[in-house]
Amino acid sequence: MLELNDINVYYGKIHAVKNISLKIKKGELVALLGANGAGKTTTLRTISGMLRAKSGSIIFDGQDINKIEAHKIVAMGLAHCPEGRQVFSRLSVLENLKIGAFLRKDHKKIEKDLELVYSLFPVLAERKNQSAGTLSGGEQQMLAIGRSLMSNPSLLLFDEPSLGLAPIIIEKIFEVIKELKNEGKTILLVEQNAYNALAIADRGYVLETGNIKLSGEAGDLLANDEVKKAYLGG
Amino acid sequence: MSGTYLLQNLIDGISLGSIYALVAIGFSMTYSILRLINFAHGDILMIGAYSGLFIMVAWQLPLWASLLGAMIFAAFVGMLVERIAYRPLRGSNEEATLITSLAVSIFIENLGIMVLSPQPRGFAIPKFLTKLHTINEITISNMTILIISLAIILMLVLTYFVICTRMGVAMRACSENINAARLMGVNINKVVACAFAVGSGMAAVAGIMLAGQYGRIEPLMGFVPGLKAFIAAVIGGIGSIPGAALGGYVLGLSEILLVALLPAAYSGYRDAFVFIILILVLLFKPAGLLGTLEGRKV
């Protein structure tokens, strides 16, 4: 479904992502792990067209999307739920969700997806007319996830959905991500919370200073001594 | 000082404020999305006034048609300026776009002088607009009524557009977080072009209203109203559309009232008052009346 072949990304002179290749099959949940500054967010931003890879190819559904504009990539069925939530705080909860469906014209199906998001996160239904800036951090993360579902994507990129949240909310967020996978969505999950991510993932990649250091089945990575030492606290 | 004198000046102030408000809204719209202070905005007002005049004189069309035609033409020019001058600079720093907009302004003004001649031209409005009504010693012309009501109508339409339409919601989303809006599938180029078109169209109306009131137009006519409207946008809180409208009325009213209420000897300082008001507002509300200070990411 998604294939990165030897991509290189630069911020000015800084070589942030070096020759990364990774593959996600349809229906898979893949975790992308690594410390701060390892290149995880850069990789996601390159996939969704916010940044351009200087070399290499990004194949999504059989098409190279490296030169395609971000909004067209969304139209192809790829949704990117960005780091730090980035909800539109002056827009209402409902407006935030509706702008997630910006490119869609199938109004009946949009209403149905809206109900689906509300059933995943009932609190959003209660607060639909409130401006998003008044929500708590956890509720904003729920809104960000809900918003990314509104484009009815086949592939979802999640960037640190657990960042800065209380443990009980983190649990809920991971539960929902697992549920989305069970419903057949393909997911690339970027996390610093390696243990939780690997617990629900099929496979994982570990990034270190722009390189892929390790990759494998989630269970193997969980048992790997190096991963344990670096990311799982011994 | 009598009550009628005050009321008369209030009406004149609202009329002037309406024009500032129409222009200031365009400043705020492009600033809110691109963080671009478009100094060429006042010159779009001039282009609107000239195109309105040509439509009226050359095609012998009525005022409403020339208003509509000028709005469309100015919207087109606004989008063209954005496409040629500002889009290539997308993503560069604010200083670069600011200087570019000054360059565009100087370019349009000099192009106007070359093509349209520096000589002012008469701008005759239809007879019925010059008609005066006198109620209790207060004089109000049909032109003033038209300016005030047209501004209100346009602002109501704009409010509907921004709140209820798909493009309006996208515009608000972009003004808050342009990258997140891109991730939602919003085509930034379309939103920006739309903001320029709407702002330029409103400036064109302001241009024709100014021309109608003073009865003449010239290629540099956009400079002072453009500058004042920019100040109005800053007073209201740049980036906020209601703020721009409010700032326009505050500025127009205080400019007229200060001249009217202070001794005649001070009336020459009219433009200085504008800056005094600006300084006072920014001293107490650095973000403007309705603006919010945004934290700069370092």
Side-chain angles (χ1 to χ4, degrees), chain B residues 86-145:
Chain B
Y86 302 141
R87 196 179 297 177
L89 290 173
R90 195 79 58 77
S92 64
N93 56 25
E94 286 170 30
E95 291 79 1
T97 52
L98 180 81
I99 299 293
T100 304
S101 83
L102 279 172
V104 172
S105 170
I106 293 168
F107 175 79
I108 295 179
E109 283 170 11
N110 286 286
L111 189 71
I113 289 173
M114 275 171 59
V115 176
L116 303 165
S117 106
Q119 295 302 322
R121 291 171 202 239
F123 192 102
I125 47 172
K127 271 265 162 354
F128 74 95
L129 284 176
T130 53
K131 194 171 174 252
L132 299 174
H133 305 276
T134 308
I135 313 152
N136 294 336
E137 291 169 55
I138 296 165
T139 320
I140 181 166
S141 69
N142 273 339
M143 187 70 204
T144 306
I145 296 173

Side-chain angles (χ1 to χ4, degrees), chain A residues 108-223:
Chain A
K108 273 190 191 141
K109 185 78 189 357
I110 291 175
E111 285 301 317
K112 247 173 112 182
D113 284 348
L114 196 59
E115 290 309 314
L116 182 91
V117 170
Y118 286 156
S119 69
L120 281 175
F121 305 113
V123 65
L124 296 182
E126 287 165 33
R127 317 220 149 165
K128 63 180 175 188
N129 295 321
Q130 232 165 289
S131 65
T134 63
L135 300 182
S136 72
E139 289 162 349
Q140 288 190 11
Q141 185 61 57
M142 295 176 195
L143 178 57
I145 294 176
R147 188 180 61 173
S148 62
L149 290 174
M150 288 301 291
S151 63
N152 191 24
S154 49
L155 174 65
L156 276 152
L157 314 177
F158 287 117
D159 197 348
E160 305 259 10
S162 75
L163 191 74
L165 301 181
I168 186 161
I169 309 280
I170 294 181
E171 207 173 297
K172 165 83 184 163
I173 299 284
F174 277 101
E175 222 168 79
V176 167
I177 293 174
K178 203 174 158 191
E179 210 174 312
L180 292 172
K181 175 203 152 54
N182 291 340
E183 279 165 20
K185 302 272 189 206
T186 310
I187 296 167
L188 178 58
L189 172 62
V190 158
E191 262 299 338
Q192 285 197 49
N193 197 331
Y195 182 79
N196 279 338
L198 288 175
I200 59 170
D202 299 308
R203 290 186 301 115
Y205 292 86
V206 179
L207 274 183
E208 206 176 276
T209 56
N211 293 295
I212 289 184
K213 185 95 183 301
L214 282 168
S215 65
E217 299 293 318
D220 295 345
L221 286 176
L222 268 174

Side-chain angles (χ1 to χ4, degrees), chain B residues 225-283:
Chain B
L227 194 62
K228 295 233 179 111
F230 170 60
I231 293 168
V234 174
I235 287 177
I238 190 145
S240 154
I241 294 176
L246 178 68
Y249 286 110
V250 166
L251 194 63
L253 273 170
S254 31
E255 197 181 315
I256 296 281
L257 288 179
L258 281 172
V259 171
L261 301 181
L262 290 173
Y266 294 108
S267 63
Y269 294 102
R270 181 165 164 166
D271 289 348
F273 294 146
V274 169
F275 287 97
I276 292 174
I277 296 162
L278 174 72
I279 290 166
L280 283 178
V281 169
L282 293 187
L283 269 178

Side-chain angles (χ1 to χ4, degrees), chain B:
Chain B
M1 182 196 56
S2 67
T4 49
Y5 180 71
L6 188 66
L7 204 57
Q8 179 72 59
N9 280 295
L10 271 176
I11 292 170
D12 292 346
I14 291 173
S15 165
L16 183 64
S18 303
I19 289 172
Y20 288 160
L22 286 180
V23 186
I25 285 170
F27 266 116
S28 251
M29 284 177 84
T30 48
Y31 181 83
S32 75
I33 298 174
L34 291 178
R35 302 292 175 267
L36 158 73
I37 293 167
N38 179 18
F39 276 118
H41 192 53
D43 302 303
I44 299 284
L45 174 153
M46 176 273 288
I47 289 174
Y50 270 93
S51 49
L53 178 71
F54 288 138
I55 292 170
M56 259 195 303
V57 174
W59 294 342
Q60 298 288 321
L61 288 174
L63 183 70
W64 66 265
S66 87
L67 271 171
L68 201 65
M71 280 177 88
I72 293 169
F73 184 71
F76 174 74
V77 174
M79 288 193 286
L80 194 70
V81 165
E82 189 273 324
R83 182 69 192 83
I84 295 173
Y86 302 141
R87 196 179 297 177
L89 290 173
R90 195 79 58 77
S92 64
N93 56 25
E94 286 170 30
E95 291 79 1
T97 52
L98 180 81
I99 299 293
T100 304
S101 83
L102 279 172
V104 172
S105 170
I106 293 168
F107 175 79
I108 295 179
E109 283 170 11
N110 286 286
L111 189 71
I113 289 173
M114 275 171 59
V115 176
L116 303 165
S117 106
Q119 295 302 322
R121 291 171 202 239
F123 192 102
I125 47 172
K127 271 265 162 354
F128 74 95
L129 284 176
T130 53
K131 194 171 174 252
L132 299 174
H133 305 276
T134 308
I135 313 152
N136 294 336
E137 291 169 55
I138 296 165
T139 320
I140 181 166
S141 69
N142 273 339
M143 187 70 204
T144 306
I145 296 173
L146 179 71
I147 291 174
I148 295 173
S149 42
L150 208 52
I152 292 172
I153 292 168
L154 284 175
M155 282 188 260
L156 287 176
V157 171
L158 182 70
T159 307
Y160 172 81
F161 169 76
V162 169
I163 293 179
C164 302
T165 66
R166 189 166 159 272
M167 188 49 106
V169 176
M171 217 175 255
R172 280 188 288 146
C174 284
S175 73
E176 205 173 317
N177 185 338
I178 200 159
N179 282 325
R182 284 172 72 193
L183 289 179
M184 299 304 116
V186 174
N187 184 347
I188 301 306
N189 289 335
K190 268 193 194 166
V191 172
V192 170
C194 182
F196 270 87
V198 172
S200 304
M202 297 185 88
V205 174
I208 291 177
M209 296 294 112
L210 267 180
Q213 211 162 33
Y214 294 125
R216 53 183 219 130
I217 57 179
E218 42 132 352
L220 300 181
M221 67 178 281
F223 180 72
V224 172
L227 194 62
K228 295 233 179 111
F230 170 60
I231 293 168
V234 174
I235 287 177
I238 190 145
S240 154
I241 294 176
L246 178 68
Y249 286 110
V250 166
L251 194 63
L253 273 170
S254 31
E255 197 181 315
I256 296 281
L257 288 179
L258 281 172
V259 171
L261 301 181
L262 290 173
Y266 294 108
S267 63
Y269 294 102
R270 181 165 164 166
D271 289 348
F273 294 146
V274 169
F275 287 97
I276 292 174
I277 296 162
L278 174 72
I279 290 166
L280 283 178
V281 169
L282 293 187
L283 269 178
F284 293 102
K285 294 211 63 155
L289 295 172
L290 298 183
T292 42
L293 274 188
E294 46 188 278
R296 256 195 194 217
K297 275 191 188 158
V298 186

